[in-house]
Amino acid sequence: MSVSNIKKELRAVANPEKAEILSRFFKTGKGEYGAGDKFLGVVVPQQRLIAKHYVELPLPEIQELLHSKYHEERLTALLILTYKYHKTSPEERGKIYDFYIKHSKQINNWDLVDVTAPNIVGAWLFDKDRKILFDLVKSDNLWQRRISIISTFYFIRRGDCKD
Protein backbone atom coordinates (compact mmCIF):
# COMPACT_ATOMS: atom_id res chain seq x y z
CA MET A 1 0.00 0.00 0.00
CA SER A 2 1.79 3.10 -1.22
CA VAL A 3 1.43 6.36 -3.08
CA SER A 4 3.28 4.92 -6.05
CA ASN A 5 0.66 2.14 -6.31
CA ILE A 6 -2.14 4.71 -6.29
CA LYS A 7 -0.41 6.75 -8.98
CA LYS A 8 0.04 3.63 -11.11
CA GLU A 9 -3.63 2.70 -10.72
CA LEU A 10 -4.77 6.20 -11.66
CA ARG A 11 -2.52 6.28 -14.70
CA ALA A 12 -3.77 2.85 -15.78
CA VAL A 13 -7.27 4.30 -16.18
CA ALA A 14 -6.21 7.78 -17.35
CA ASN A 15 -7.71 9.08 -20.56
CA PRO A 16 -5.93 11.96 -22.37
CA GLU A 17 -9.11 13.02 -24.20
CA LYS A 18 -11.00 13.15 -20.91
CA ALA A 19 -8.10 15.15 -19.40
CA GLU A 20 -8.61 17.85 -22.03
CA ILE A 21 -12.33 17.99 -21.33
CA LEU A 22 -11.75 18.16 -17.57
CA SER A 23 -9.18 20.93 -18.01
CA ARG A 24 -11.77 23.06 -19.80
CA PHE A 25 -14.59 22.11 -17.40
CA PHE A 26 -12.53 23.04 -14.33
CA LYS A 27 -11.37 26.35 -15.86
CA THR A 28 -7.61 25.78 -15.83
CA GLY A 29 -6.73 28.55 -18.28
CA LYS A 30 -4.72 31.63 -17.35
CA GLY A 31 -6.75 33.88 -15.03
CA GLU A 32 -9.44 31.26 -14.42
CA TYR A 33 -10.23 29.85 -10.97
CA GLY A 34 -8.42 26.54 -11.66
CA ALA A 35 -5.47 28.09 -13.48
CA GLY A 36 -2.56 25.72 -13.88
CA ASP A 37 -4.33 22.61 -12.57
CA LYS A 38 -3.37 19.45 -14.46
CA PHE A 39 -5.56 16.43 -15.20
CA LEU A 40 -4.93 12.78 -15.96
CA GLY A 41 -8.44 12.16 -17.27
CA VAL A 42 -9.75 9.85 -14.54
CA VAL A 43 -13.44 10.04 -13.66
CA VAL A 44 -14.64 10.22 -10.06
CA PRO A 45 -16.22 6.72 -9.90
CA GLN A 46 -12.84 5.23 -10.84
CA GLN A 47 -11.12 7.38 -8.21
CA ARG A 48 -13.60 6.25 -5.57
CA LEU A 49 -12.91 2.58 -6.36
CA ILE A 50 -9.17 3.13 -6.08
CA ALA A 51 -9.48 5.21 -2.89
CA LYS A 52 -11.51 2.52 -1.10
CA HIS A 53 -8.54 0.14 -1.35
CA TYR A 54 -6.21 2.58 0.43
CA VAL A 55 -8.16 3.54 3.55
CA GLU A 56 -5.23 2.39 5.70
CA LEU A 57 -2.78 4.74 3.94
CA PRO A 58 -0.99 6.83 6.61
CA LEU A 59 -1.48 10.60 6.73
CA PRO A 60 2.08 11.43 5.56
CA GLU A 61 1.45 9.48 2.36
CA ILE A 62 -1.96 11.08 1.92
CA GLN A 63 -0.17 14.41 2.32
CA GLU A 64 2.18 13.48 -0.52
CA LEU A 65 -0.78 12.79 -2.81
CA LEU A 66 -2.54 15.94 -1.65
CA HIS A 67 0.44 18.00 -2.80
CA SER A 68 0.35 16.53 -6.31
CA LYS A 69 0.09 18.73 -9.39
CA TYR A 70 -2.62 16.37 -10.67
CA HIS A 71 -6.18 17.10 -9.70
CA GLU A 72 -7.20 13.44 -9.61
CA GLU A 73 -4.38 12.55 -7.22
CA ARG A 74 -5.51 15.31 -4.85
CA LEU A 75 -9.15 14.19 -5.08
CA THR A 76 -8.15 10.56 -4.50
CA ALA A 77 -6.17 11.65 -1.42
CA LEU A 78 -9.23 13.48 -0.12
CA LEU A 79 -11.52 10.53 -0.85
CA ILE A 80 -9.17 8.27 1.11
CA LEU A 81 -9.25 10.78 3.94
CA THR A 82 -13.05 10.84 3.89
CA TYR A 83 -13.32 7.02 3.93
CA LYS A 84 -10.69 6.87 6.67
CA TYR A 85 -12.60 9.46 8.73
CA HIS A 86 -15.77 7.37 8.78
CA LYS A 87 -13.99 4.12 9.68
CA THR A 88 -11.96 5.31 12.64
CA SER A 89 -12.17 6.32 16.29
CA PRO A 90 -13.21 9.79 17.47
CA GLU A 91 -9.59 10.49 18.45
CA GLU A 92 -8.39 9.63 14.96
CA ARG A 93 -11.20 11.67 13.44
CA GLY A 94 -9.84 14.70 15.25
CA LYS A 95 -6.43 14.08 13.69
CA ILE A 96 -8.00 13.77 10.24
CA TYR A 97 -9.97 16.99 10.75
CA ASP A 98 -6.78 18.80 11.87
CA PHE A 99 -4.90 17.39 8.87
CA TYR A 100 -7.66 18.59 6.52
CA ILE A 101 -7.64 22.11 7.95
CA LYS A 102 -3.83 22.26 7.96
CA HIS A 103 -3.73 21.30 4.27
CA SER A 104 -6.79 23.26 3.18
CA LYS A 105 -4.79 25.34 0.70
CA GLN A 106 -4.24 22.15 -1.32
CA ILE A 107 -8.01 21.71 -1.53
CA ASN A 108 -8.19 24.13 -4.40
CA ASN A 109 -11.22 23.49 -6.56
CA TRP A 110 -14.95 23.28 -6.00
CA ASP A 111 -15.22 19.51 -6.43
CA LEU A 112 -12.43 18.85 -3.94
CA VAL A 113 -14.28 20.95 -1.39
CA ASP A 114 -17.80 19.78 -2.16
CA VAL A 115 -17.03 16.06 -1.96
CA THR A 116 -15.11 16.27 1.30
CA ALA A 117 -15.83 19.33 3.47
CA PRO A 118 -19.26 18.24 4.75
CA ASN A 119 -17.99 14.71 5.47
CA ILE A 120 -14.91 15.77 7.41
CA VAL A 121 -15.18 19.39 8.58
CA GLY A 122 -18.96 19.41 8.96
CA ALA A 123 -19.05 15.97 10.58
CA TRP A 124 -16.31 16.92 13.06
CA LEU A 125 -17.80 20.28 14.00
CA PHE A 126 -21.42 19.14 14.26
CA ASP A 127 -21.35 18.94 18.06
CA LYS A 128 -18.37 21.26 18.62
CA ASP A 129 -17.43 24.94 18.54
CA ARG A 130 -17.77 26.16 14.95
CA LYS A 131 -15.69 29.33 15.27
CA ILE A 132 -13.24 28.09 12.64
CA LEU A 133 -15.99 28.30 10.01
CA PHE A 134 -16.37 32.01 10.72
CA ASP A 135 -12.58 32.43 10.44
CA LEU A 136 -12.38 30.50 7.17
CA VAL A 137 -15.24 32.44 5.61
CA LYS A 138 -13.14 35.61 6.02
CA SER A 139 -10.07 34.07 4.35
CA ASP A 140 -8.52 35.62 1.26
CA ASN A 141 -8.48 32.09 -0.15
CA LEU A 142 -11.63 31.35 -2.18
CA TRP A 143 -11.47 27.63 -1.43
CA GLN A 144 -11.14 28.09 2.33
CA ARG A 145 -14.24 30.31 2.18
CA ARG A 146 -16.01 27.57 0.23
CA ILE A 147 -14.93 24.96 2.83
CA SER A 148 -16.59 27.05 5.55
CA ILE A 149 -19.86 27.28 3.64
CA ILE A 150 -20.07 23.77 2.21
CA SER A 151 -19.20 22.21 5.59
CA THR A 152 -22.53 23.47 6.90
CA PHE A 153 -24.34 21.09 4.53
CA TYR A 154 -23.64 18.39 7.13
CA PHE A 155 -25.54 20.46 9.72
CA ILE A 156 -28.36 21.35 7.34
CA ARG A 157 -28.98 17.71 6.44
CA ARG A 158 -29.51 17.10 10.15
CA GLY A 159 -31.95 19.97 10.60
CA ASP A 160 -29.43 22.38 12.13
CA CYS A 161 -29.61 25.61 10.15
CA LYS A 162 -28.43 28.14 12.75
CA ASP A 163 -24.99 28.64 11.19
Side-chain angles (χ1 to χ4, degrees):
M1 182 175 303
S2 71
V3 171
S4 63
N5 289 347
I6 295 169
K7 289 180 177 185
K8 284 178 193 170
E9 288 188 43
L10 288 170
R11 280 158 183 74
V13 293
N15 179 329
E17 292 82 24
K18 187 71 171 170
E20 286 183 38
I21 293 167
L22 290 169
S23 291
R24 286 191 304 276
F25 181 77
F26 285 103
K27 308 293 185 203
T28 62
K30 187 174 182 175
E32 295 179 315
Y33 66 79
D37 210 355
K38 302 208 179 305
F39 286 84
L40 296 167
V42 183
V43 295
V44 174
Q46 291 171 313
Q47 292 174 67
R48 286 184 185 281
L49 286 173
I50 292 168
K52 285 179 181 177
H53 292 109
Y54 292 92
V55 174
E56 300 303 319
L57 196 70
L59 291 179
E61 291 189 50
I62 293 172
Q63 179 179 335
E64 181 182 335
L65 264 184
L66 194 53
H67 285 264
S68 172
K69 66 181 178 179
Y70 291 105
H71 187 94
E72 292 95 337
E73 290 179 358
R74 292 193 310 280
L75 179 55
T76 301
L78 292 166
L79 289 169
I80 293 167
L81 207 59
T82 301
Y83 297 143
K84 181 185 279 293
Y85 182 90
H86 291 287
K87 290 186 176 218
T88 193
S89 69
E91 181 181 311
E92 288 300 311
R93 288 179 182 170
K95 290 178 186 175
I96 291 168
Y97 162 81
D98 290 340
F99 176 91
Y100 188 96
I101 296 298
K102 179 180 177 184
H103 297 283
S104 63
K105 290 194 175 170
Q106 298 307 124
I107 305 168
N108 60 355
N109 212 312
W110 62 266
D111 66 320
L112 303 179
V113 173
D114 293 8
V115 169
T116 60
N119 298 310
I120 295 174
V121 178
W124 178 253
L125 294 177
F126 184 65
D127 59 355
K128 295 171 186 62
D129 181 6
R130 300 174 184 174
K131 179 186 179 305
I132 189 159
L133 297 180
F134 295 92
D135 295 338
L136 288 172
V137 83
K138 296 174 189 170
S139 172
D140 291 335
N141 182 297
L142 164 68
W143 306 115
Q144 288 180 329
R145 291 193 310 266
R146 188 173 182 96
I147 287 168
S148 72
I149 295 164
I150 299 299
S151 294
T152 66
F153 283 17
Y154 187 90
F155 314 150
I156 294 166
R157 288 184 194 123
R158 283 153 184 79
D160 179 351
C161 299
K162 66 181 178 257
D163 292 311

